[in-house]
Amino acid sequence: MADSLWIIGVAMTKFMRYKDRDLIDLGTEAATAALSDAGLTIFDADILAAGCLFDTGGVGQRLQKQIGQTGIPVYNVTNACATGATAFRVAAMAIKAGEASIGLAVGLEQMGKRGLLGAQPAGKDRPYQPSGRYGAVGPVEGVLGTSLMPGTFAQAGMEYAYQHDGVGFEQFARVAEKNHAHSTLNPLAQYQKAFSLEDVMTAEMIAYPNTLLMCCPTGDGAAAAVLCSGERLKSMPDIVRRRAVKVSASVMTSDPYVDGGAVQFDVNTLTRQAADKAYEQAGVGPGDLDLVELHDCFATAELCHYDNLRLCPEGGAGEFIDRRGPWRDGQIPVNVSGGLLSKGHPLGATGIANIYEVSTHLRGEAGDRQIEGAKVGLTHVIGLGSACAVHILEKSAA
Amino acid sequence: MSAPGTPARGKPAPAAQAKPVPEPTPDTQPFWDGCARGELRLQRCRDCGKPYFYPRPICPECGSADVEWFPASGRATLYSYVINHRPARGFEGDGPYAIAVVQLAEGPRMMTNVVGIPNTPEDLILDMELQVTFEQRGDISVPLFGPAGAAR
């Protein structure tokens, strides 16, 4: 079993809508950039893990036809919005198990302009269509909760606001104000435009309290990471060792049963469990974190995750954003990349793109958006239905 | 054996369709640009020297990303073929026709059609020398191969 796990190469494409390039083009760009970042070629990799949610037709093997068919095992994974992180973990587990010493994980997605996932265009009348076994399943939308993403996460936010003082529309809107502001420093972000709090609050209402500017966009992009065992790292050149990022914790959880969870998604419990386990695994606490990239698919989600990831005292997420705790010059910078809200969220790429972001800061290579002196960072993704991944990354001591 | 273009089992003949036209991608654009100028282009690794085809950004031999395009001679030999009696869409007027694998002088193999000679086992002699020729289909010039030295 590998003694430790390291990231020695990491890269992402710009997130945007690509008209002239396809999924495999994007994956190829990210994969080759990550390999060359590590000073390696595909011939050095012992395993390829590919994560893509909407295209499940042998994406990893199709990627190999461009980046090189070397005969290594390929794992194609889908795991909702945690798809990219799952691919990362497949490579990580192969190294930990001793089956591989170098692994390549690629997350890639081409979504185009899909609108709000799960939602129908306003005003469009859709006749009742029975489905399921014996046609016995009727639509539950609006009867037994909602499966629309903006609504699901709005509900989670409203529940948090109900349970805790000092949390309302304005606090949720401040999250989006922050992430849009952060994105202006990130050239790889899909949008790089700041919006005032008023802009955010007066934008089109999608699912209260989430306005349009509090919902992440759909888009295209890819991210890739080259993982390496501690043993193998020892024989790497100095330049690789100096830039290596330690994976101090790699944790995945799914929903434990909770009352009501069968009807309305519970985005909190699995995140809390993953975070607690990750802190224990890494031997660090929230107070040690220099930056966090968390899953702000909607502004309401980010606020809940301040609490779930223990970045603020229990119930204190409203106060945390009010005092600018998660701003890039605050107590624990959160989503300095612009987050999903502005950097974008090509589903399969997201769980590696956040690892790219934190790693780049730990290496001191984040340019204008660098968090000075960053030594420890945390990444978090959550996919409904459900999968949550938390990684804690640390700057190389070498 | 049915004559070329004869529909099977009395079904109505499908309406003749244009032959499919390849769509250039970022990786293949230089190849199609070459074809448009009557030039068959391949890629070569600047690190290990290996010439290769189909177009891709990484050398399949050594994994290097330092690769370049170069004009190939267009010379090839017939490596293998299959004679297809059930034409694909757009090829209704051509059957039976050979789908051939040619060995390019530079090393890589390419799949193509052989033109300029009857597509029969008697006329398709393995290892026979071939030369690239181009057929315009819509906006795209498609590389095909004919007998070397044949007047075109």
Side-chain angles (χ1 to χ4, degrees), chain A residues 50-53 77-90 106-109 153 251-254 270-271 274 295 297 340 345-355 379-391:
Chain A
C52 183
L53 187 61
V77 301
T78 70
N79 216 359
C81 294
T83 291
T86 304
F88 183 90
R89 272 185 54 74
V90 167
V106 186
L108 59 170
E109 202 77 55
F153 284 92
V251 173
M252 192 146 216
T253 57
S254 62
L270 77 171
T271 298
H295 203 76
C297 45
L340 280 55
H345 182 25
L347 308 184
T350 292
I352 299 180
N354 61 10
I355 288 170
T379 69
H380 159 257
V381 284
I382 179 173
L384 292 187
S386 62
C388 175
V390 170
H391 285 94

Side-chain angles (χ1 to χ4, degrees), chain A residues 20-21 25 28 32 40-43 64-69, chain B residues 25-27 54-65:
Chain A
D20 303 322
R21 305 178 66 198
D25 291 330
T28 299
T32 55
L40 301 177
T41 75
I42 189 66
F43 284 84
Q64 280 186 305
K65 294 194 168 73
Q66 295 306 106
I67 65 175
Q69 292 169 254
Chain B
T25 69
D27 286 331
Y54 52 90
R56 71 206 102 151
I58 299 292
C59 170
E61 182 75 8
C62 75
S64 169

Side-chain angles (χ1 to χ4, degrees), chain A residues 4-236:
Chain A
S4 59
L5 185 65
W6 300 79
I7 298 164
I8 56 170
V10 67
M12 67 178 277
T13 68
K14 181 175 166 64
F15 284 178
M16 57 184 276
R17 295 190 179 118
Y18 289 91
K19 290 193 171 56
D20 303 322
R21 305 178 66 198
D22 74 2
L23 180 71
I24 302 301
D25 291 330
L26 298 174
T28 299
E29 180 186 327
T32 55
L35 285 165
S36 101
D37 185 41
L40 301 177
T41 75
I42 189 66
F43 284 84
D44 298 301
D46 303 315
I47 174 183
L48 169 63
C52 183
L53 187 61
F54 286 120
D55 186 336
T56 52
V59 164
Q61 286 85 347
R62 279 153 60 202
L63 196 57
Q64 280 186 305
K65 294 194 168 73
Q66 295 306 106
I67 65 175
Q69 292 169 254
T70 56
I72 55 174
V74 173
Y75 297 84
N76 295 299
V77 301
T78 70
N79 216 359
C81 294
T83 291
T86 304
F88 183 90
R89 272 185 54 74
V90 167
M93 289 190 294
I95 292 171
K96 281 186 180 171
E99 267 201 31
S101 58
I102 291 174
L104 173 62
V106 186
L108 59 170
E109 202 77 55
Q110 189 153 42
M111 301 168 76
K113 199 167 164 64
R114 275 183 183 244
L116 297 162
L117 293 187
Q120 296 301 325
K124 191 173 172 191
D125 187 30
R126 297 251 300 185
Y128 167 69
Q129 294 279 358
S131 63
R133 294 175 63 207
Y134 309 106
V137 180
V140 297
E141 189 62 40
V143 180
L144 290 169
T146 180
S147 59
L148 307 189
M149 293 302 112
T152 295
F153 284 92
Q155 190 271 344
M158 291 308 284
E159 192 174 315
Y160 189 82
Y162 168 74
Q163 290 164 345
H164 304 290
D165 291 337
V167 179
F169 185 25
E170 191 171 321
Q171 281 64 43
F172 295 121
R174 281 184 176 158
V175 169
E177 179 198 12
K178 169 184 69 76
N179 291 355
H180 287 294
H182 284 172
S183 74
T184 61
L185 297 173
N186 185 0
L188 299 177
Q190 187 166 347
Y191 297 99
Q192 293 151 55
K193 189 177 174 189
F195 294 92
S196 69
L197 184 62
E198 193 193 348
D199 289 337
V200 174
M201 294 179 78
T202 56
E204 182 189 351
M205 186 53 70
I206 303 297
Y208 185 86
N210 285 324
T211 67
L212 187 64
L213 292 173
M214 297 159 73
C215 301
C216 68
T218 59
D220 316 328
V226 179
L227 289 89
C228 177
S229 68
E231 189 59 34
R232 183 76 174 77
L233 184 68
K234 285 182 196 159
S235 61
M236 291 279 176

Side-chain angles (χ1 to χ4, degrees), chain B residues 122-134:
Chain B
E122 292 72 28
D123 291 281
L124 294 169
I125 313 295
L126 292 183
D127 292 336
M128 68 186 292
E129 295 198 352
L130 301 169
Q131 179 67 37
V132 73
T133 179
F134 294 90

